[in-house]
Amino acid sequence: MADDDQFDIDTDSEIDDDDENEESDDDTGFFPIDEPVVYSSQSSTTTSSAAAQIPKQTKGTSEQSGNKYSTSINASNNHPQDNNFEYVVLSQDDIVKYMVECIKEVNEVIKLPSTTVRLLLHHFRWDKEKLMERFYDPNHQDELFRQAHIVNPFKRPHLQTQISSSSHRSTRRQISSSSLSPSSASITTTTTTNPLRPLTEQTCLICCSTKPINDMAGLECGHTFCIICWQQYLTYKIMHEGIGQTIPCPAKCDILVDDRTVLRLIEDSDVRRKYQHLITNSFVECNRNMRWCPGTNCTNAIKAPYCDVAMVTCTTCKTSFCFQCGQNWHEPIKCKWLKKWQKKCHDDSETSNWIAANTKECPKCHATIEKNGGCNHLICKNQSCKYEFCWVCLGAWEPHGSSWYNCNRFNEDDAKKARDEQDRSRSALQRYLHYYKRYHNHHESLRLENKLLEQVQKRMESMQQQMSWIEVQFLQIACDVLRQCRQTLMYTYPFAFYLKRNNHSIIFEQNQADLEHSTEELSGYLERDFSQTNASLTEMKQKVQDKYRYCSTRRKVLLDHVAEGYECDYWEYNEGF
Amino acid sequence: MNDNGALTKRIVKESARLLQEPVPGISASPDEHNARYFKVVIDGPGESPYEGGKFKVELFLPDEYPMAPPKVRFMTKLYHPNIDKLGRICLDILKEKWSPALQIRTVLLSIQALLSAPNPDDFLDADVAEKWKADEKGAKAIARDWTQKYAHEH
Ligand SMILES: [Zn+2]
Ligand SMILES: [Zn+2]
Ligand SMILES: [Zn+2]
Ligand SMILES: [Zn+2]
Ligand SMILES: [Zn+2]
Ligand SMILES: [Zn+2]
């Protein structure tokens, strides 16, 4: 993990400086969302301290495990594959900063409000080059803005409104009721003005209330609504419909609401946070070199200079995941096969277990039939089939007579054939279930052992009455090793599922069995309450240490063998499954 | 979203206008016990297979109205590719194309227009849509037949 400063691009303070000179407060766009860590005149100190935090966090982690045991962990952790892949962990604020950088970069060239640039970049899925290319094609510029649902800034109408929340300082221009240009579909309520009086009140087209002009707001398209309706509308879109980037003007006119407008109008912090998340989400998801951390409730993202199969670890929640596919770190299986496996599990999840135990296929129409009690006389439930057959031999029921003991066709050829056919599909299912059950068990154990970690940490505290802090750290390491081994084991099963049997797959299975056996033993040690055993604490410690070192070694052996296999083409796959 | 005074004002205003200046061929009146529930009758548009029929429609304004669209359903059985057996309507402005600037009146007009111009490419009832595309004449005959059968007060 990068301890160096190469990722300071996010926090280049020079940019803050020229921002201050060039831009008015009208053009701060998405950025002024969240209080101090922003792009404002005072922010240069804040940003640089935030920059310093990233390496600091990393150091904190290594300090924690920076004792005599950490070497053995790192040895098992640093598989050849994960070396030299440098990346940086970004918090929500860091993501916003990085996004603003991207906007800024484009902004410097095309000189439009950053909020417009963000909508344009979103339209091009954050592909700067593509945007520039299209932007400088003079014949299609108009079309570009139309497609991105933005008012062409080079062809603004004479009358335009600024968003006019009461907190906003900029001068507001009033709009005449005629510029509302009600489309055939929109409400045609007219502005309640007395021609002899200056326009001080307007009727909101959504709530039909007449309100002072100061309580009205609108976009560049000229449609205005009262601020309360705007807030309700935006809140509904953000919270109910989960739309951030593409909220249209409420007047159904196709112009998109920019981030500055949303953030000026929305005060509720939950809604603001959700909006920020929706915006950053589309940014991260469009970016090939960024991935969300898959950790539960974690809102960090990881950014790397390029996309590759590599293990990255979130500094906040400690989740290790594959940078290529964004899933939990899944060595030894490759992304492609894992994806295939997960799709299979998903498709088969509801049916396979139950089908395996309780059903057969109708020999005639192949509908799935449930075994109902002990009676072997079955009638196909498919109403257009209703075939009557024997559960045991799958032959027609007719010749069977009154009792299944008359099942005289049991050994006949066609009965055998019928059974073989079902056996084949059934044995494929059995095979899948064999791997699935083990995969699933490790998955469950992994979940349960996260709770174990909490218990162990409590135990470590009480043990410090007899041992020093450093002396009880072995339990923490044991838990880390256990988690790594579980995760590896879990993914060995889908790996093996797709593997064709050969000499190397047999070696692999032996390694797998070894690791599984020792991992279960380690888990057993950690679940036991040491105070309940006769052995002394020192003896227990020795046992646990020996066990986790052995587990680490076995894990390394297994992974090295698989990696060698990838290099030397040992592995052959069953594409058909 | 709670029903504040301003929202009710809009509903009151819309209801009043629907009664005072009804849309030609459409009658809509709020339920006497529930101001958010409207009983609507749409006349089958001329030169459509629904001509001569009177189609009962129920329209309900959810609490989130006008941020969320009204819920609308045909109560009278009809043969139409964009309306399913339960009377649910496939119309973009009732879903993702809804905007709070639209209103009950515009929704009813759109539904009336849908009766004049069915769109079998954006179907809700696959069987009807298929028939409509394969044999428009035949489909329209069925629609006329259903109009006779179900959309006439006997
Ligand atoms: Zn309003
Ligand atoms: Zn508009
Ligand atoms: Zn995380
Ligand atoms: Zn992967
Ligand atoms: Zn059958
Ligand atoms: Zn039999």
Side-chain angles (χ1 to χ4, degrees):
Chain A
M1 161 81 215
D3 251 5
D4 54 44
D5 302 356
Q6 61 159 324
F7 291 102
D8 271 354
I9 52 155
D10 298 355
T11 51
D12 196 338
S13 55
E14 278 171 49
I15 288 157
D16 289 307
D17 294 336
D18 56 55
D19 174 51
E20 199 183 327
N21 301 332
E22 275 172 24
E23 287 176 25
S24 69
D25 71 327
D26 261 345
D27 190 27
T28 40
F30 185 75
F31 212 34
I33 304 175
D34 261 352
E35 312 75 45
V37 197
V38 248
Y39 226 80
S40 65
S41 41
Q42 322 96 297
S43 75
S44 42
T45 44
T46 327
T47 16
S48 48
S49 74
Q53 258 166 28
I54 296 170
K56 215 190 281 163
Q57 264 175 19
T58 327
K59 268 180 215 142
T61 331
S62 54
E63 261 159 32
Q64 260 177 27
S65 52
N67 55 52
K68 55 186 165 176
Y69 306 111
S70 66
T71 28
S72 66
I73 296 303
N74 289 340
S76 68
N77 223 346
N78 284 359
H79 202 255
Q81 257 188 323
D82 353 316
N83 280 343
N84 305 322
F85 189 74
E86 286 168 338
Y87 57 90
V88 67
V89 181
L90 303 179
S91 68
Q92 278 284 318
D93 283 345
D94 297 331
I95 298 167
V96 173
K97 264 182 249 159
Y98 178 47
M99 185 170 86
V100 171
E101 280 313 305
C102 294
I103 294 169
K104 186 86 195 165
E105 226 174 278
V106 175
N107 227 348
E108 260 148 31
V109 187
I110 68 173
K111 307 275 186 223
L112 285 175
S114 55
T115 186
T116 308
V117 172
R118 190 182 59 77
L119 289 174
L120 284 172
L121 276 166
H122 173 73
H123 181 68
F124 287 101
R125 298 187 61 84
W126 295 89
D127 186 336
K128 285 176 245 170
E129 281 69 40
K130 211 165 164 192
L131 166 60
M132 301 286 195
E133 197 179 290
R134 284 288 308 276
F135 187 80
Y136 286 112
D137 178 352
N139 299 324
H140 297 100
Q141 212 180 55
D142 211 30
E143 187 187 322
L144 164 72
F145 285 106
R146 211 174 333 112
Q147 284 171 352
H149 303 295
I150 304 166
V151 173
N152 186 338
F154 304 111
K155 290 190 178 175
R156 279 194 197 158
H158 303 296
L159 285 163
Q160 69 177 70
T161 35
Q162 302 274 324
I163 215 66
S164 57
S165 70
S166 41
S167 62
H168 185 41
R169 279 172 277 145
S170 79
T171 44
R172 221 180 325 103
R173 278 191 241 171
Q174 294 175 348
I175 52 160
S176 72
S177 53
S178 62
S179 78
L180 284 172
S181 64
S183 74
S184 61
S186 62
I187 297 186
T188 51
T189 321
T190 46
T191 314
T192 53
T193 42
N194 182 334
L196 301 172
R197 230 175 24 162
L199 182 68
T200 54
E201 285 189 327
Q202 242 184 346
T203 299
C204 169
L205 300 182
I206 293 176
C207 64
C208 300
S209 303
T210 303
K211 295 192 174 180
I213 195 107
N214 282 349
D215 292 344
M216 305 292 286
L219 303 171
E220 288 179 336
C221 55
H223 301 117
T224 55
F225 306 95
C226 80
I227 288 170
I228 292 170
C229 284
W230 264 113
Q231 286 171 339
Q232 288 185 348
Y233 175 71
L234 295 172
T235 303
Y236 189 81
K237 288 282 164 190
I238 294 163
M239 303 305 275
H240 253 74
E241 297 181 14
I243 302 174
Q245 288 280 14
T246 55
I247 302 175
C249 165
K252 217 177 150 44
C253 77
D254 238 25
I255 293 303
L256 296 179
V257 186
D258 59 277
D259 50 278
R260 204 186 76 212
T261 304
V262 172
L263 293 163
R264 285 228 170 99
L265 290 168
I266 295 287
E267 284 153 13
D268 186 303
S269 61
D270 282 351
V271 183
R272 289 172 74 93
R273 210 174 306 122
K274 175 82 187 284
Y275 180 70
Q276 186 185 12
H277 187 71
L278 289 169
I279 299 288
T280 48
N281 194 39
S282 87
F283 173 67
V284 173
E285 265 158 29
C286 291
N287 200 316
R288 258 179 67 75
N289 298 337
M290 279 177 96
R291 292 286 173 280
W292 283 118
C293 168
T296 330
N297 298 326
C298 185
T299 53
N300 288 351
I302 284 182
K303 181 166 91 62
Y306 56 93
C307 183
D308 200 1
V309 182
M311 183 180 83
V312 293
T313 304
C314 172
T315 45
T316 305
C317 71
K318 311 278 182 277
T319 301
S320 292
F321 63 98
C322 170
F323 192 76
Q324 173 102 2
C325 68
Q327 302 253 18
N328 281 328
W329 182 237
H330 51 72
E331 203 180 4
I333 194 170
K334 294 225 160 161
C335 308
K336 168 193 160 188
W337 293 104
L338 177 64
K339 208 171 157 195
K340 202 171 154 143
W341 169 258
Q342 283 170 333
K343 188 182 178 301
K344 185 175 178 64
C345 294
H346 179 81
D347 293 350
D348 294 4
S349 60
E350 279 170 38
T351 40
S352 55
N353 276 317
W354 187 83
I355 286 176
N358 299 300
T359 67
K360 287 192 181 177
E361 281 176 13
C362 167
K364 208 170 164 190
C365 75
H366 299 286
T368 296
I369 294 154
E370 193 178 333
K371 195 196 287 182
N372 50 354
C375 177
N376 288 295
H377 176 190
L378 275 113
I379 302 166
C380 177
K381 291 218 170 60
N382 176 353
Q383 287 305 298
S384 57
C385 172
K386 288 183 175 173
Y387 182 59
E388 293 185 43
F389 65 99
C390 165
W391 185 256
V392 177
C393 69
L394 299 171
W397 186 257
E398 249 188 321
H400 280 70
S402 56
S403 151
W404 86 270
Y405 295 107
N406 294 339
C407 183
N408 52 356
R409 298 177 63 219
F410 191 72
N411 287 316
E412 281 175 23
D413 283 350
D414 52 349
K416 193 171 179 300
K417 214 175 110 200
R419 277 158 44 85
D420 283 353
E421 213 169 274
Q422 293 222 337
D423 281 351
R424 251 198 308 282
S425 74
R426 222 147 267 274
S427 77
L429 188 64
Q430 290 301 340
R431 183 176 183 280
Y432 162 68
L433 286 174
H434 169 91
Y435 290 98
Y436 177 75
K437 274 181 202 153
R438 284 155 185 81
Y439 165 79
H440 184 71
N441 281 346
H442 285 300
H443 185 84
E444 279 298 289
S445 301
L446 201 57
R447 207 170 53 80
L448 294 172
E449 280 159 6
N450 280 333
K451 286 182 195 146
L452 180 68
L453 181 67
E454 286 167 30
Q455 289 168 23
V456 166
Q457 274 162 348
K458 275 194 201 122
R459 221 182 295 155
M460 280 163 66
E461 275 169 34
S462 69
M463 278 166 70
Q464 284 180 48
Q465 290 161 359
Q466 295 164 60
M467 284 179 163
S468 69
W469 178 85
I470 198 86
E471 281 173 315
V472 298
Q473 294 310 304
F474 74 97
L475 276 179
Q476 176 73 50
I477 299 167
C479 285
D480 289 346
V481 172
L482 179 62
R483 203 179 53 223
Q484 288 168 1
C485 291
R486 280 279 179 228
Q487 195 155 330
T488 304
L489 276 169
M490 177 175 144
Y491 293 114
T492 57
Y493 283 101
F495 174 74
F497 176 75
Y498 291 109
L499 222 51
K500 263 189 196 156
R501 208 166 167 77
N502 62 23
N503 286 340
H504 280 287
S505 80
I506 292 166
I507 297 173
F508 170 78
E509 274 170 8
Q510 282 162 359
N511 287 338
Q512 187 187 35
D514 267 359
L515 179 61
E516 189 155 57
H517 186 69
S518 51
T519 301
E520 295 304 346
E521 280 181 341
L522 179 62
S523 170
Y525 279 157
L526 289 176
E527 266 166 30
R528 226 171 290 156
D529 186 358
F530 298 157
S531 59
Q532 302 295 306
T533 58
N534 293 325
S536 76
L537 213 50
T538 327
E539 279 169 1
M540 270 321 290
K541 178 174 172 177
Q542 194 56 53
K543 274 191 172 176
V544 170
Q545 281 179 325
D546 288 348
K547 193 53 76 186
Y548 77 61
R549 283 178 188 140
Y550 183 73
C551 285
S552 272
T553 315
R554 294 313 309 168
R555 176 168 173 265
K556 188 171 179 337
V557 167
L558 182 143
L559 291 176
D560 285 347
H561 176 243
V562 174
E564 185 189 310
Y566 281 132
E567 249 162 57
C568 309
D569 281 332
Y570 296 162
W571 311 124
E572 299 168 279
Y573 296 102
N574 282 308
E575 296 275 349
F577 290 137
Chain B
M1 218 168 291
N2 272 328
D3 198 358
N4 59 38
L7 283 182
T8 309
K9 187 167 184 175
R10 159 148 173 177
I11 294 174
V12 169
K13 235 174 164 171
E14 279 199 61
S15 305
R17 189 158 167 239
L18 279 169
L19 293 171
Q20 282 157 16
E21 312 163 41
V23 188
I26 299 176
S27 80
S29 49
D31 185 87
E32 49 184 310
H33 304 295
N34 185 348
R36 292 177 169 275
Y37 186 85
F38 290 76
K39 289 175 188 150
V40 182
V41 178
I42 301 179
D43 296 343
E47 286 162 52
S48 80
Y50 309 98
E51 189 172 7
K54 290 207 172 290
F55 296 88
K56 282 188 197 144
V57 171
E58 62 172 359
L59 183 146
F60 179 70
L61 306 175
D63 283 349
E64 295 88 353
Y65 183 81
M67 301 309 157
K71 298 189 185 310
V72 195
R73 195 166 74 92
F74 269 89
M75 307 298 284
T76 305
K77 207 170 144 104
L78 76 166
Y79 191 81
H80 191 290
N82 309 106
I83 297 159
D84 75 0
K85 289 182 186 68
L86 298 171
R88 294 175 300 191
I89 306 161
C90 178
L91 191 61
D92 57 359
I93 61 157
L94 291 177
K95 290 176 286 184
E96 79 283 357
K97 292 285 171 60
W98 171 253
S99 140
L102 298 174
Q103 45 178 326
I104 301 172
R105 174 180 296 268
T106 40
V107 165
L108 295 177
L109 278 166
S110 302
I111 293 172
Q112 197 181 39
L114 192 66
L115 292 183
S116 295
N119 177 11
D121 290 322
D122 186 19
F123 60 84
L124 192 56
D125 192 311
D127 293 341
V128 179
E130 216 165 275
K131 172 85 180 162
W132 214 279
K133 278 196 256 186
D135 171 20
E136 194 176 322
K137 233 177 148 187
K140 282 184 172 167
I142 299 172
R144 251 191 305 278
D145 190 42
W146 283 33
T147 304
Q148 274 297 321
K149 235 193 253 166
Y150 305 110
H152 278 80
E153 320 254 330
H154 292 292

